[in-house]
Amino acid sequence: MSLPENINKDNLPKHLAIIMDGNGRWAKQKGMLRAFGHESGTKSVRAVVESCAKLGIENLTLYAFSTENWNRPKLEVEALMKLLISSLKGELKTLAKNDIRLNSIGNLDSLPASVKKELLDVIEKTKDNKRMTLTLALSYGSREEIMRAVRNISDKVKNNIISITDIDESIINQHLYTHDLPDVDLVIRTSGEHRISNFLLWQIAYAEFYFTDVLWPDFREKDLYDAIISYQKRERRFGKTSEQIK
Ligand code: FPP
């Protein structure tokens, strides 16, 4: 699909974050197991990653597994972990070809050793790629991330490395998993749900939101373009008045 004329390449979100939702419902509609929905969801991941790179989006973050997802049935968690390993193994070439750096946020120590190993391997092999940073949120929860930051900052205060008055937004940013990423400009959530589900709570302070009824396994390039076009029609005021922006 060629780029729609109404997309302005000079006004792209610098950081796009996606809550990929609806895999289970998609599979159920087809009388299939939930794991089949997740497997089909990887096709959308591939399509969206390639489209974002082609478009010129510099940062794409995908919510692949939340801290709360550990509470799903054991079989589903195992299927997701297996899928992650096979996707990481299979996509290394595509990442290299498209000059994409893989990054991750979340509590990696809680992942099975085999997933962590594969993930760190792809992160290392793609670390010098420049075109786009693809961040996978894995065993990620925003409250856990903030709690961890508070603990680490407190520890530095206690050991006189920083003082309480040094703590500002920048210090907090530096202690989040996302320390090397810009704030999120646009959040897309699929499947008709209108929730944030513990995703990047600090980083979305001024993000725009785009909700679509499309289930994640059906989400393709055209749906991404629709979201970007909607984003580009909005006036982002960051607390200022419309007149001040113009
Ligand atoms: C939400 O759908 C989706 C997930 C919890 C997992 C997302 C994972 C993938 C798309 C596959 C692997 C990802 C990568 C990055 C290779 P749901 O299960 O909550 O669907 P439902 O709300 O319809 O039940």
Side-chain angles (χ1 to χ4, degrees):
M1 179 182 176
S2 58
L3 190 68
E5 276 169 21
N6 45 351
I7 286 195
N8 174 3
K9 286 248 226 179
D10 296 325
N11 182 25
L12 293 170
K14 275 206 164 38
H15 187 175
L16 167 64
I18 306 184
I19 304 177
M20 309 179 287
D21 199 5
N23 295 350
R25 276 163 286 163
W26 185 89
K28 197 172 173 192
Q29 281 175 7
K30 296 187 157 33
M32 305 293 279
L33 293 173
R34 294 178 59 83
F36 179 65
H38 296 313
E39 202 182 315
S40 304
T42 60
K43 297 197 180 104
S44 307
V45 170
R46 171 181 264 247
V48 165
V49 169
E50 288 196 352
S51 307
C52 283
K54 205 166 78 182
L55 198 55
I57 289 178
E58 289 166 18
N59 296 281
L60 170 65
T61 299
L62 301 177
Y63 205 3
F65 195 85
S66 72
T67 44
E68 289 75 23
N69 285 153
W70 290 114
N71 299 321
R72 290 195 172 195
K74 193 166 166 268
L75 271 181
E76 183 173 346
V77 172
E78 280 171 7
L80 273 166
M81 293 300 139
K82 269 199 195 138
L83 201 53
L84 273 167
I85 297 182
S86 60
S87 301
L88 287 165
K89 279 199 170 119
E91 297 307 322
L92 178 60
K93 263 196 199 141
T94 318
L95 297 177
K97 189 183 87 191
N98 288 290
D99 196 18
I100 298 168
R101 174 174 85 95
L102 186 74
N103 178 40
S104 76
I105 54 174
N107 183 2
L108 298 195
D109 289 333
S110 63
L111 294 170
S114 51
V115 176
K116 189 177 166 188
K117 182 179 164 288
E118 204 57 53
L119 182 68
L120 294 180
D121 184 52
V122 180
I123 289 176
E124 172 60 27
K125 286 185 175 141
T126 60
K127 70 176 190 314
D128 296 324
N129 294 351
K130 298 275 182 298
R131 189 179 183 189
M132 182 173 92
T133 296
L134 166 63
T135 300
L136 296 185
L138 284 171
S139 194
Y140 174 85
S142 193
R143 287 184 170 181
E144 190 266 347
E145 175 183 40
I146 292 169
M147 182 188 74
R148 200 176 143 274
V150 171
R151 283 189 183 157
N152 289 336
I153 294 169
S154 307
D155 199 53
K156 287 186 182 163
V157 171
K158 191 174 132 201
N159 291 305
N160 294 316
I161 298 168
I162 56 171
S163 69
I164 287 181
T165 49
D166 288 334
I167 302 172
D168 57 9
E169 291 190 10
S170 155
I171 291 276
I172 295 173
N173 264 323
Q174 286 164 34
H175 289 81
L176 297 174
Y177 291 128
T178 52
H179 57 89
D180 56 351
L181 298 174
D183 272 358
V184 174
D185 296 304
L186 174 63
V187 178
I188 297 175
R189 184 170 190 149
T190 58
S191 89
E193 306 290 0
H194 297 185
R195 286 190 288 278
I196 287 306
S197 304
N198 203 10
F199 190 43
L200 302 171
L201 300 178
W202 171 275
Q203 300 86 341
I204 58 170
Y206 274 100
E208 297 292 327
F209 291 86
Y210 181 83
F211 298 105
T212 169
D213 289 340
V214 174
L215 302 174
W216 180 249
D218 288 328
F219 194 92
R220 286 293 181 274
E221 200 169 4
K222 154 99 177 53
D223 304 295
L224 173 75
Y225 291 156
D226 286 347
I228 306 282
I229 290 165
S230 164
Y231 167 83
Q232 293 187 335
K233 285 186 183 145
R234 312 205 189 159
E235 182 184 63
R236 302 186 73 200
R237 293 194 290 276
F238 299 93
K240 294 183 180 170
T241 66
S242 192
E243 288 66 34
Q244 284 175 302
I245 301 299
K246 282 165 194 135

